[in-house]
Amino acid sequence: ARSSSPLGNQIILHTRISKMKYLIAVCAVIAVAAAGSLPLKDCGSKHGKVTSITLDPAPVGACTFPKGTNVTAIVDMEIDEVTKKLTTVAKGDVVVWVPFPLPNPDACAQGVSCPTVSGSTHTFRTGIPILKEYPSIRLVVQLEFKDDNGDDAICVQFPGEIC
């Protein structure tokens, strides 16, 4: 739109700038929200799925696991079986699968209500100590939640980097 007066042109320009600022602010909020999510890949879940994983502190660039920190993993999941226990196994693919010991592998002691109910949702939280001695490396992280039978009730992979 054009105006025949200089004041009218200023008002139109001010309105366009305000709309652009609003659009930039919305895009910034979306970018910040998206930065916290990790791309997830199912790796053979038999009785559920992970819906999201959040790391705290949040990853900075590709660095998901800073050395010398304790990273908290918050895993939202859905499970569709009844099981008395869920045992967590973590490992990293660094050419071969290497176990990554968790301080407490009992998911039922970390936010999962056991025995589980089919169709239930849970939030699992665990602290992961990232030792300074670990090598700096990019890897694929795999989390498995084993049921009473030792089957992967839930299995998920995501990219990671120890830095």
Side-chain angles (χ1 to χ4, degrees):
R2 291 185 178 220
S3 175
S4 58
S5 74
L7 180 60
N9 286 337
Q10 286 179 340
I11 292 172
I12 292 170
L13 181 60
H14 177 71
T15 302
R16 286 184 180 166
I17 290 173
S18 295
K19 287 180 182 179
M20 287 177 64
K21 286 180 181 177
Y22 175 77
L23 181 60
I24 290 169
V26 169
C27 289
V29 168
I30 291 170
V32 168
S37 63
L38 295 169
L40 305 176
K41 177 184 175 190
D42 187 273
C43 50
S45 299
K46 295 181 180 173
H47 301 289
K49 66 179 179 178
V50 168
T51 55
S52 73
I53 297 177
T54 305
L55 300 177
D56 184 22
V60 177
C63 183
T64 49
F65 301 106
K67 292 181 190 182
T69 64
N70 190 40
V71 175
T72 300
I74 303 160
V75 181
D76 292 320
M77 65 178 86
E78 299 171 0
I79 191 161
D80 62 11
E81 78 167 333
V82 175
T83 186
K84 292 179 185 172
K85 66 179 182 176
L86 273 181
T87 304
T88 310
V89 175
K91 49 185 145 180
D93 184 1
V94 292
V95 180
V96 296
W97 287 103
V98 176
F100 196 81
L102 296 174
N104 183 0
D106 181 6
C108 301
Q110 299 177 84
V112 176
S113 299
C114 295
T116 62
V117 177
S118 183
S120 58
T121 59
H122 304 273
T123 299
F124 167 78
R125 292 175 179 264
T126 191
I128 306 167
I130 311 300
L131 304 180
K132 290 181 180 180
E133 296 80 30
Y134 289 164
S136 297
I137 191 168
R138 288 186 180 186
L139 67 157
V140 174
V141 178
Q142 182 165 305
L143 283 177
E144 303 167 358
F145 295 89
K146 306 258 184 206
D147 62 15
D148 293 336
N149 302 318
D151 293 331
D152 285 343
I154 300 173
C155 183
V156 66
Q157 295 177 345
F158 60 92
E161 182 177 344
I162 298 173
C163 45

